[in-house]
Amino acid sequence: MEINEMTKEQLIDQINILKGQILEFKAARDRYKKVESTLRASDKKFRFFFNTAPIGLVISNFQGDIINTNKTIQELVGYTPEEAKK
């Protein structure tokens, strides 16, 4: 049904539906922001512990390709992650 064919009551109903959807989107956006903030904090903590660990750590994929190494392993083997990927 086209908007110009709707009654006043139908238009009001549609507006109310849209208002409800806007509220749902805002709530979802707020939840997303909280999750994003939590993930950023978690990532920051992980990176701190990863890079300050007194043991050498290597992150690789299933194929064995090196994705990242911490500073300790870099000092032990003398390679940066970029050099180790070659």
Side-chain angles (χ1 to χ4, degrees):
M1 179 181 290
E2 297 291 324
I3 290 178
N4 58 359
E5 298 172 351
M6 293 178 143
T7 66
K8 181 179 178 180
E9 291 78 21
Q10 289 172 321
L11 288 170
I12 291 171
D13 288 342
Q14 288 298 311
I15 289 170
N16 288 330
I17 290 169
L18 291 171
K19 284 180 181 179
Q21 288 176 337
I22 289 169
L23 291 175
E24 289 175 21
F25 285 132
K26 285 182 178 179
R29 180 197 61 204
D30 292 343
R31 287 190 305 272
Y32 171 82
K33 285 182 179 182
K34 285 181 183 178
V35 168
E36 182 182 35
S37 175
T38 301
L39 286 173
R40 286 185 192 277
S42 177
D43 183 59
K44 189 175 181 179
K45 288 178 186 176
F46 169 78
R47 288 182 186 279
F48 172 79
F49 288 114
F50 181 77
N51 285 316
T52 59
I55 60 170
L57 298 171
V58 176
I59 298 175
S60 67
N61 61 18
F62 288 116
Q63 291 78 28
D65 301 321
I66 295 173
I67 297 171
N68 200 358
T69 61
N70 70 350
K71 292 177 184 174
T72 304
I73 198 75
Q74 292 171 25
E75 291 169 2
L76 286 171
V77 298
Y79 290 112
T80 64
E82 292 76 25
E83 292 170 329
K85 290 177 186 178
K86 294 179 183 179

Coordinates of all heavy atoms in Angstrom, one line a residue:
M1 N 0.8 -1.2 0.0 CA 0.0 0.0 0.0 C 0.9 1.2 0.0 O 1.8 1.3 0.7 CB -0.9 0.0 1.2 CG -1.8 1.2 1.4 SD -2.8 1.2 2.8 CE -4.0 -0.1 2.5
E2 N 0.6 2.2 -0.9 CA 1.3 3.4 -1.0 C 1.0 4.4 0.2 O -0.1 4.3 0.7 CB 1.0 4.1 -2.3 CG 1.4 3.4 -3.5 CD 2.9 3.3 -3.7 OE1 3.6 4.3 -3.4 OE2 3.4 2.2 -4.2
I3 N 1.9 5.2 0.5 CA 1.7 6.1 1.6 C 0.5 7.0 1.4 O -0.3 7.3 2.3 CB 3.0 7.0 1.9 CG1 4.1 6.1 2.5 CG2 2.7 8.2 2.8 CD1 5.4 6.8 2.7
N4 N 0.3 7.5 0.2 CA -0.8 8.4 -0.1 C -2.1 7.7 -0.1 O -3.2 8.4 -0.1 CB -0.6 9.1 -1.4 CG -0.4 8.2 -2.6 OD1 -0.4 7.0 -2.4 ND2 -0.2 8.8 -3.8
E5 N -2.1 6.4 0.0 CA -3.4 5.6 0.1 C -3.7 5.3 1.6 O -4.8 4.7 1.9 CB -3.3 4.3 -0.7 CG -3.1 4.6 -2.2 CD -2.8 3.3 -2.9 OE1 -2.6 2.2 -2.3 OE2 -2.8 3.3 -4.2
M6 N -2.8 5.6 2.5 CA -3.0 5.2 3.9 C -3.9 6.2 4.6 O -3.9 7.4 4.3 CB -1.7 5.1 4.6 CG -0.8 4.0 4.2 SD 0.7 4.1 5.1 CE 1.1 2.4 5.3
T7 N -4.6 5.7 5.6 CA -5.4 6.5 6.4 C -4.5 7.2 7.5 O -3.4 6.7 7.7 CB -6.5 5.7 7.2 OG1 -5.9 4.8 8.1 CG2 -7.4 5.0 6.2
K8 N -5.0 8.2 8.2 CA -4.3 8.8 9.2 C -3.8 7.8 10.3 O -2.7 7.8 10.7 CB -5.1 9.9 9.8 CG -4.4 10.7 10.9 CD -5.3 11.8 11.4 CE -4.6 12.6 12.6 NZ -5.5 13.7 13.1
E9 N -4.7 6.9 10.7 CA -4.4 5.9 11.7 C -3.3 5.0 11.2 O -2.5 4.6 12.0 CB -5.7 5.2 12.1 CG -6.8 6.0 12.8 CD -7.6 6.9 11.9 OE1 -7.6 6.7 10.7 OE2 -8.1 7.9 12.5
Q10 N -3.4 4.6 10.0 CA -2.4 3.7 9.4 C -1.0 4.4 9.4 O 0.0 3.7 9.7 CB -2.7 3.2 8.0 CG -3.9 2.2 8.0 CD -4.4 2.0 6.6 OE1 -4.4 2.8 5.7 NE2 -4.7 0.7 6.3
L11 N -1.0 5.6 9.1 CA 0.3 6.4 9.1 C 0.8 6.5 10.5 O 2.0 6.4 10.7 CB 0.1 7.8 8.5 CG -0.2 7.8 7.0 CD1 -0.6 9.2 6.5 CD2 1.1 7.4 6.2
I12 N 0.0 6.8 11.4 CA 0.4 6.9 12.8 C 0.9 5.5 13.3 O 2.0 5.5 14.0 CB -0.8 7.3 13.7 CG1 -1.1 8.8 13.4 CG2 -0.4 7.2 15.2 CD1 -2.4 9.3 14.1
D13 N 0.3 4.4 12.9 CA 0.8 3.1 13.3 C 2.2 2.9 12.7 O 3.1 2.3 13.3 CB -0.2 2.0 12.8 CG -1.5 1.9 13.6 OD1 -1.5 2.5 14.7 OD2 -2.4 1.4 13.1
Q14 N 2.3 3.3 11.4 CA 3.6 3.1 10.8 C 4.7 3.9 11.5 O 5.9 3.5 11.6 CB 3.6 3.5 9.3 CG 2.8 2.5 8.5 CD 3.5 1.1 8.5 OE1 4.7 1.0 8.2 NE2 2.7 0.1 8.7
I15 N 4.4 5.1 11.8 CA 5.3 6.0 12.6 C 5.7 5.4 13.9 O 6.9 5.4 14.3 CB 4.7 7.4 12.8 CG1 4.6 8.2 11.4 CG2 5.5 8.2 13.8 CD1 3.9 9.5 11.5
N16 N 4.7 4.8 14.6 CA 5.0 4.2 15.9 C 5.9 3.0 15.7 O 6.8 2.7 16.5 CB 3.7 3.8 16.6 CG 3.0 5.1 17.1 OD1 3.7 6.0 17.5 ND2 1.7 5.0 17.2
I17 N 5.7 2.2 14.6 CA 6.5 1.0 14.3 C 8.0 1.5 14.1 O 8.9 1.0 14.6 CB 6.0 0.3 13.1 CG1 4.7 -0.5 13.5 CG2 7.0 -0.7 12.6 CD1 3.9 -1.1 12.4
L18 N 8.1 2.6 13.3 CA 9.4 3.1 13.0 C 10.1 3.7 14.2 O 11.3 3.5 14.4 CB 9.3 4.2 11.9 CG 8.9 3.7 10.5 CD1 8.7 4.9 9.6 CD2 10.0 2.9 9.9
K19 N 9.4 4.3 15.1 CA 9.9 4.8 16.4 C 10.4 3.6 17.2 O 11.5 3.7 17.8 CB 8.9 5.6 17.2 CG 8.6 6.9 16.7 CD 7.6 7.7 17.5 CE 7.3 9.0 17.0 NZ 6.2 9.7 17.8
G20 N 9.7 2.5 17.2 CA 10.1 1.3 18.0 C 11.4 0.8 17.4 O 12.3 0.3 18.1
Q21 N 11.5 0.7 16.0 CA 12.7 0.2 15.4 C 13.9 1.1 15.6 O 15.0 0.6 15.8 CB 12.4 0.1 13.9 CG 11.5 -1.0 13.5 CD 11.2 -1.1 12.0 OE1 11.3 0.0 11.3 NE2 10.8 -2.2 11.5
I22 N 13.6 2.4 15.7 CA 14.7 3.3 16.0 C 15.3 3.1 17.4 O 16.5 3.0 17.6 CB 14.3 4.8 15.9 CG1 14.1 5.2 14.4 CG2 15.3 5.8 16.5 CD1 13.4 6.5 14.2
L23 N 14.4 2.8 18.4 CA 14.8 2.5 19.7 C 15.6 1.2 19.8 O 16.6 1.1 20.5 CB 13.6 2.5 20.7 CG 12.8 3.8 20.9 CD1 11.6 3.5 21.8 CD2 13.8 4.7 21.7
E24 N 15.1 0.2 19.0 CA 15.9 -1.0 19.0 C 17.2 -0.9 18.4 O 18.2 -1.4 18.9 CB 15.1 -2.1 18.1 CG 13.8 -2.6 18.8 CD 13.0 -3.5 17.9 OE1 13.6 -4.1 16.9 OE2 11.8 -3.6 18.2
F25 N 17.3 -0.1 17.3 CA 18.7 0.2 16.7 C 19.6 0.9 17.7 O 20.8 0.6 17.7 CB 18.5 1.0 15.4 CG 18.0 0.2 14.2 CD1 17.0 0.7 13.4 CD2 18.6 -1.0 13.9 CE1 16.5 -0.1 12.4 CE2 18.1 -1.8 12.9 CZ 17.1 -1.3 12.1
K26 N 19.0 1.9 18.4 CA 19.9 2.6 19.3 C 20.3 1.7 20.5 O 21.5 1.8 20.9 CB 19.1 3.8 19.9 CG 18.9 5.0 19.0 CD 18.2 6.1 19.6 CE 18.0 7.3 18.7 NZ 17.3 8.4 19.2
A27 N 19.5 0.8 20.9 CA 19.9 -0.1 22.0 C 21.0 -1.1 21.4 O 21.9 -1.4 22.1 CB 18.7 -0.9 22.5
A28 N 20.8 -1.5 20.2 CA 21.8 -2.4 19.6 C 23.1 -1.7 19.4 O 24.2 -2.2 19.7 CB 21.3 -2.9 18.2
R29 N 23.1 -0.4 19.0 CA 24.3 0.4 18.9 C 25.0 0.6 20.2 O 26.2 0.4 20.3 CB 23.9 1.8 18.3 CG 25.1 2.7 18.1 CD 24.8 4.1 17.9 NE 24.1 4.6 19.1 CZ 23.3 5.6 19.2 NH1 23.0 6.3 18.1 NH2 22.7 6.0 20.3
D30 N 24.2 0.8 21.3 CA 24.8 0.9 22.6 C 25.4 -0.4 23.1 O 26.5 -0.3 23.6 CB 23.7 1.4 23.6 CG 23.2 2.8 23.3 OD1 23.9 3.6 22.6 OD2 22.2 3.2 23.9
R31 N 24.8 -1.5 22.8 CA 25.4 -2.8 23.1 C 26.7 -3.0 22.4 O 27.7 -3.5 22.9 CB 24.4 -3.9 22.9 CG 23.2 -4.0 23.9 CD 22.4 -5.3 23.7 NE 21.9 -5.5 22.4 CZ 20.8 -5.1 22.0 NH1 20.0 -4.3 22.7 NH2 20.4 -5.3 20.7
Y32 N 26.6 -2.7 21.1 CA 27.8 -2.8 20.2 C 29.0 -2.0 20.8 O 30.1 -2.5 20.9 CB 27.5 -2.4 18.8 CG 28.7 -2.3 17.9 CD1 29.2 -3.5 17.3 CD2 29.4 -1.1 17.7 CE1 30.4 -3.4 16.5 CE2 30.5 -1.0 16.9 CZ 31.0 -2.2 16.3 OH 32.1 -2.1 15.5
K33 N 28.7 -0.8 21.2 CA 29.7 0.1 21.7 C 30.3 -0.5 23.0 O 31.6 -0.4 23.2 CB 29.2 1.5 22.0 CG 29.0 2.3 20.7 CD 28.5 3.7 21.0 CE 28.4 4.5 19.7 NZ 27.9 5.9 20.0
K34 N 29.5 -1.1 23.9 CA 30.0 -1.7 25.1 C 30.9 -2.9 24.8 O 32.0 -3.0 25.4 CB 28.8 -2.1 26.0 CG 28.2 -1.0 26.7 CD 27.0 -1.4 27.6 CE 26.3 -0.3 28.2 NZ 25.2 -0.7 29.1
V35 N 30.5 -3.7 23.8 CA 31.2 -4.9 23.4 C 32.6 -4.4 22.8 O 33.6 -5.0 23.1 CB 30.5 -5.8 22.5 CG1 31.3 -6.8 21.8 CG2 29.3 -6.4 23.2
E36 N 32.5 -3.4 22.0 CA 33.7 -2.9 21.3 C 34.7 -2.4 22.3 O 35.9 -2.7 22.3 CB 33.3 -1.8 20.3 CG 34.5 -1.3 19.6 CD 34.1 -0.1 18.6 OE1 33.2 0.7 19.0 OE2 34.8 0.0 17.6
S37 N 34.2 -1.6 23.3 CA 35.0 -1.1 24.4 C 35.7 -2.2 25.2 O 36.9 -2.2 25.5 CB 34.2 -0.2 25.3 OG 35.0 0.3 26.4
T38 N 34.9 -3.2 25.5 CA 35.4 -4.4 26.3 C 36.5 -5.1 25.5 O 37.5 -5.5 26.0 CB 34.3 -5.4 26.6 OG1 33.3 -4.6 27.4 CG2 34.8 -6.5 27.4
L39 N 36.3 -5.3 24.2 CA 37.2 -6.0 23.3 C 38.5 -5.2 23.2 O 39.6 -5.7 23.2 CB 36.7 -6.3 21.9 CG 35.6 -7.4 21.9 CD1 35.0 -7.4 20.5 CD2 36.3 -8.7 22.2
R40 N 38.4 -3.9 23.1 CA 39.6 -3.0 23.0 C 40.4 -3.1 24.3 O 41.6 -3.2 24.2 CB 39.2 -1.6 22.7 CG 38.8 -1.3 21.3 CD 38.5 0.2 21.1 NE 37.8 0.4 19.8 CZ 38.4 0.5 18.6 NH1 39.7 0.3 18.5 NH2 37.7 0.7 17.5
A41 N 39.7 -3.1 25.4 CA 40.5 -3.2 26.7 C 41.1 -4.6 26.8 O 42.3 -4.7 27.3 CB 39.5 -3.0 27.9
S42 N 40.4 -5.6 26.4 CA 41.0 -6.9 26.5 C 42.2 -7.1 25.6 O 43.2 -7.7 25.9 CB 39.9 -8.0 26.1 OG 40.4 -9.2 26.1
D43 N 42.1 -6.5 24.4 CA 43.2 -6.6 23.4 C 44.4 -5.8 23.9 O 45.5 -6.3 23.8 CB 42.7 -6.0 22.1 CG 43.8 -6.1 21.0 OD1 44.2 -7.2 20.7 OD2 44.2 -5.0 20.5
K44 N 44.1 -4.7 24.6 CA 45.2 -3.9 25.1 C 45.9 -4.7 26.2 O 47.2 -4.7 26.3 CB 44.7 -2.6 25.7 CG 45.7 -1.6 26.1 CD 45.1 -0.3 26.6 CE 46.1 0.7 27.0 NZ 45.5 2.0 27.4
K45 N 45.2 -5.4 27.1 CA 45.8 -6.2 28.1 C 46.6 -7.4 27.5 O 47.7 -7.7 28.0 CB 44.7 -6.7 29.1 CG 44.1 -5.7 30.0 CD 43.0 -6.3 30.9 CE 42.3 -5.3 31.7 NZ 41.2 -5.8 32.4
F46 N 46.0 -8.0 26.5 CA 46.6 -9.2 25.9 C 48.0 -8.7 25.3 O 49.0 -9.4 25.5 CB 45.8 -9.8 24.8 CG 46.5 -10.8 23.9 CD1 46.8 -12.0 24.4 CD2 47.0 -10.4 22.7 CE1 47.5 -12.9 23.6 CE2 47.7 -11.3 21.9 CZ 48.0 -12.6 22.4
R47 N 47.9 -7.6 24.6 CA 49.2 -7.1 23.9 C 50.2 -6.8 25.0 O 51.4 -7.1 24.8 CB 48.9 -5.9 23.0 CG 48.1 -6.3 21.8 CD 47.9 -5.0 20.9 NE 47.1 -5.3 19.8 CZ 47.5 -5.9 18.7 NH1 48.8 -6.3 18.6 NH2 46.7 -6.2 17.7
F48 N 49.8 -6.2 26.1 CA 50.8 -5.9 27.1 C 51.4 -7.1 27.7 O 52.7 -7.2 27.7 CB 50.1 -5.1 28.3 CG 51.0 -4.9 29.5 CD1 52.0 -3.9 29.5 CD2 50.9 -5.7 30.6 CE1 52.8 -3.8 30.6 CE2 51.7 -5.6 31.7 CZ 52.7 -4.6 31.7
F49 N 50.6 -8.1 28.0 CA 51.2 -9.4 28.6 C 52.0 -10.2 27.5 O 53.0 -10.8 27.8 CB 50.1 -10.2 29.2 CG 49.6 -9.7 30.5 CD1 48.3 -9.2 30.6 CD2 50.4 -9.6 31.6 CE1 47.8 -8.7 31.8 CE2 49.9 -9.0 32.8 CZ 48.6 -8.6 32.9
F50 N 51.5 -10.2 26.3 CA 52.2 -10.9 25.2 C 53.6 -10.3 25.0 O 54.6 -11.0 24.9 CB 51.3 -10.8 23.9 CG 51.9 -11.5 22.7 CD1 51.9 -12.8 22.6 CD2 52.6 -10.7 21.7 CE1 52.4 -13.5 21.5 CE2 53.1 -11.4 20.6 CZ 53.0 -12.8 20.5
N51 N 53.6 -8.9 25.0 CA 54.9 -8.3 24.7 C 55.9 -8.2 25.9 O 57.0 -8.0 25.7 CB 54.7 -6.9 24.1 CG 54.2 -7.0 22.6 OD1 54.8 -7.8 21.9 ND2 53.2 -6.2 22.3
T52 N 55.4 -8.4 27.1 CA 56.2 -8.3 28.2 C 56.5 -9.6 28.9 O 57.2 -9.7 29.9 CB 55.6 -7.4 29.3 OG1 54.3 -7.9 29.7 CG2 55.5 -5.9 28.8
A53 N 56.0 -10.7 28.3 CA 56.2 -12.0 28.8 C 57.7 -12.4 28.8 O 58.4 -12.1 27.8 CB 55.5 -13.1 28.0
P54 N 58.2 -13.0 29.8 CA 59.7 -13.3 29.9 C 60.0 -14.5 29.1 O 61.2 -14.9 29.0 CB 59.9 -13.6 31.4 CG 58.6 -14.0 31.9 CD 57.5 -13.3 31.1
I55 N 59.0 -15.2 28.4 CA 59.3 -16.3 27.6 C 59.0 -15.9 26.1 O 58.1 -15.0 25.9 CB 58.5 -17.6 28.0 CG1 57.0 -17.3 27.9 CG2 58.9 -18.0 29.4 CD1 56.2 -18.5 28.1
G56 N 59.6 -16.6 25.2 CA 59.3 -16.3 23.8 C 58.0 -16.9 23.4 O 57.7 -18.0 23.6
L57 N 57.2 -16.0 22.7 CA 55.8 -16.5 22.3 C 55.7 -16.2 20.8 O 56.1 -15.2 20.3 CB 54.7 -15.7 23.0 CG 54.7 -15.9 24.5 CD1 53.7 -15.0 25.2 CD2 54.3 -17.3 24.9
V58 N 55.1 -17.2 20.1 CA 54.9 -17.1 18.7 C 53.4 -17.4 18.4 O 52.9 -18.4 18.9 CB 55.8 -18.0 17.9 CG1 55.4 -18.0 16.4 CG2 57.2 -17.8 18.1
I59 N 52.8 -16.6 17.6 CA 51.4 -16.9 17.2 C 51.5 -17.2 15.7 O 52.0 -16.5 14.9 CB 50.5 -15.6 17.3 CG1 50.4 -15.3 18.8 CG2 49.1 -15.9 16.8 CD1 49.6 -14.0 19.1
S60 N 50.9 -18.4 15.3 CA 50.9 -18.8 13.9 C 49.5 -19.3 13.6 O 48.7 -19.6 14.4 CB 51.9 -19.9 13.7 OG 51.5 -21.1 14.4
N61 N 49.3 -19.4 12.3 CA 48.0 -20.0 11.8 C 48.2 -21.5 11.7 O 49.2 -22.1 12.0 CB 47.5 -19.3 10.5 CG 48.5 -19.5 9.4 OD1 49.4 -20.4 9.4 ND2 48.4 -18.7 8.3
F62 N 47.1 -22.2 11.2 CA 47.2 -23.6 11.1 C 48.2 -24.1 10.1 O 48.7 -25.3 10.2 CB 45.8 -24.2 10.7 CG 44.8 -24.1 11.8 CD1 43.7 -23.3 11.7 CD2 45.0 -24.9 13.0 CE1 42.7 -23.3 12.7 CE2 44.1 -24.8 14.0 CZ 42.9 -24.0 13.9
Q63 N 48.5 -23.3 9.1 CA 49.5 -23.7 8.1 C 51.0 -23.5 8.6 O 51.9 -23.9 8.0 CB 49.4 -22.9 6.8 CG 48.1 -23.2 6.1 CD 46.9 -22.5 6.7 OE1 46.9 -21.5 7.3 NE2 45.7 -23.2 6.5
G64 N 51.1 -22.9 9.8 CA 52.4 -22.7 10.4 C 53.0 -21.4 10.1 O 54.2 -21.1 10.4
D65 N 52.3 -20.5 9.4 CA 52.8 -19.2 9.0 C 52.8 -18.3 10.3 O 51.8 -18.3 11.1 CB 51.9 -18.5 8.0 CG 51.8 -19.3 6.7 OD1 52.8 -19.9 6.3 OD2 50.7 -19.4 6.1
I66 N 53.9 -17.6 10.5 CA 54.0 -16.8 11.7 C 53.2 -15.5 11.5 O 53.3 -14.8 10.5 CB 55.5 -16.4 12.0 CG1 56.2 -17.7 12.3 CG2 55.6 -15.4 13.1 CD1 57.7 -17.5 12.5
I67 N 52.3 -15.3 12.5 CA 51.4 -14.1 12.4 C 52.0 -13.0 13.3 O 52.1 -11.9 12.9 CB 50.0 -14.5 12.9 CG1 49.4 -15.5 11.9 CG2 49.2 -13.2 13.0 CD1 48.1 -16.0 12.4
N68 N 52.6 -13.4 14.5 CA 53.2 -12.4 15.4 C 54.1 -13.1 16.3 O 54.0 -14.3 16.6 CB 52.1 -11.7 16.2 CG 52.5 -10.4 16.7 OD1 53.7 -10.0 16.6 ND2 51.6 -9.7 17.4
T69 N 55.1 -12.4 16.8 CA 56.0 -12.8 17.9 C 56.1 -11.7 18.9 O 55.9 -10.6 18.6 CB 57.4 -13.2 17.3 OG1 57.9 -12.0 16.7 CG2 57.3 -14.2 16.2
N70 N 56.5 -12.2 20.1 CA 56.7 -11.1 21.1 C 58.2 -10.7 21.1 O 59.0 -11.2 20.4 CB 56.2 -11.6 22.5 CG 57.1 -12.7 23.1 OD1 58.0 -13.2 22.5 ND2 56.9 -12.9 24.4
K71 N 58.5 -9.6 21.9 CA 59.8 -9.1 21.9 C 60.8 -10.1 22.4 O 62.0 -10.1 21.9 CB 59.8 -7.8 22.7 CG 59.0 -6.7 22.1 CD 59.0 -5.5 23.0 CE 58.1 -4.4 22.3 NZ 57.9 -3.2 23.1
T72 N 60.5 -10.9 23.3 CA 61.4 -11.9 23.9 C 61.9 -12.8 22.8 O 63.1 -13.1 22.7 CB 60.8 -12.7 25.0 OG1 60.3 -11.8 26.0 CG2 61.8 -13.6 25.7
I73 N 61.0 -13.4 22.0 CA 61.4 -14.3 20.9 C 62.2 -13.6 19.9 O 63.1 -14.1 19.3 CB 60.2 -15.1 20.4 CG1 60.7 -16.4 19.6 CG2 59.4 -14.3 19.4 CD1 61.1 -17.5 20.5
Q74 N 61.8 -12.3 19.6 CA 62.6 -11.6 18.6 C 64.0 -11.4 19.1 O 65.0 -11.5 18.3 CB 61.9 -10.2 18.4 CG 60.6 -10.3 17.7 CD 59.8 -9.0 17.7 OE1 60.4 -7.9 17.8 NE2 58.5 -9.1 17.6
E75 N 64.2 -11.1 20.4 CA 65.6 -11.0 20.9 C 66.3 -12.3 20.9 O 67.5 -12.3 20.6 CB 65.5 -10.4 22.3 CG 65.1 -8.9 22.4 CD 64.7 -8.4 23.8 OE1 64.9 -9.2 24.7 OE2 64.3 -7.3 23.9
L76 N 65.6 -13.4 21.2 CA 66.3 -14.7 21.2 C 66.8 -15.2 19.8 O 67.9 -15.7 19.7 CB 65.3 -15.8 21.8 CG 65.0 -15.8 23.2 CD1 63.9 -16.7 23.6 CD2 66.3 -16.2 24.0
V77 N 65.9 -15.0 18.8 CA 66.3 -15.5 17.5 C 66.8 -14.4 16.6 O 67.4 -14.7 15.5 CB 65.1 -16.2 16.8 CG1 64.6 -17.4 17.6 CG2 63.9 -15.2 16.6
G78 N 66.7 -13.1 17.0 CA 67.2 -12.0 16.2 C 66.4 -11.6 15.0 O 67.0 -11.0 14.0
Y79 N 65.1 -12.0 14.9 CA 64.3 -11.7 13.8 C 63.1 -10.9 14.2 O 62.5 -11.2 15.3 CB 63.8 -12.9 13.1 CG 64.8 -13.7 12.3 CD1 65.2 -15.0 12.7 CD2 65.4 -13.2 11.2 CE1 66.2 -15.7 12.1 CE2 66.4 -13.9 10.5 CZ 66.7 -15.2 10.9 OH 67.7 -15.9 10.3
T80 N 62.6 -9.9 13.4 CA 61.4 -9.3 13.6 C 60.3 -10.2 13.0 O 60.6 -11.0 12.2 CB 61.3 -7.9 12.9 OG1 61.4 -8.1 11.5 CG2 62.4 -7.0 13.4
P81 N 59.0 -9.9 13.3 CA 58.0 -10.8 12.7 C 58.0 -10.7 11.2 O 57.8 -11.6 10.5 CB 56.7 -10.2 13.3 CG 57.1 -9.5 14.5 CD 58.5 -9.0 14.3
E82 N 58.3 -9.5 10.6 CA 58.3 -9.3 9.2 C 59.4 -10.2 8.6 O 59.3 -10.8 7.5 CB 58.5 -7.8 8.8 CG 57.3 -7.0 9.2 CD 57.2 -6.6 10.6 OE1 58.2 -6.7 11.4 OE2 56.1 -6.4 11.1
E83 N 60.6 -10.2 9.2 CA 61.7 -11.0 8.7 C 61.4 -12.5 8.8 O 61.8 -13.2 8.0 CB 63.0 -10.6 9.5 CG 63.5 -9.2 9.2 CD 64.6 -8.8 10.2 OE1 64.7 -9.3 11.3 OE2 65.5 -8.0 9.8
A84 N 60.7 -12.9 9.9 CA 60.5 -14.3 10.1 C 59.4 -14.8 9.1 O 59.4 -16.0 8.7 CB 59.9 -14.5 11.5
K85 N 58.6 -13.9 8.5 CA 57.6 -14.3 7.5 C 58.2 -14.7 6.2 O 57.6 -15.3 5.4 CB 56.5 -13.2 7.4 CG 55.7 -13.1 8.6 CD 54.7 -11.9 8.4 CE 53.9 -11.7 9.7 NZ 53.0 -10.6 9.6
K86 N 59.4 -14.2 5.9 CA 60.0 -14.4 4.6 C 60.5 -15.8 4.4 O 60.8 -16.5 5.2 CB 61.1 -13.4 4.4 CG 60.6 -12.0 4.3 CD 61.7 -11.0 4.1 CE 61.2 -9.5 4.1 NZ 62.2 -8.6 4.0

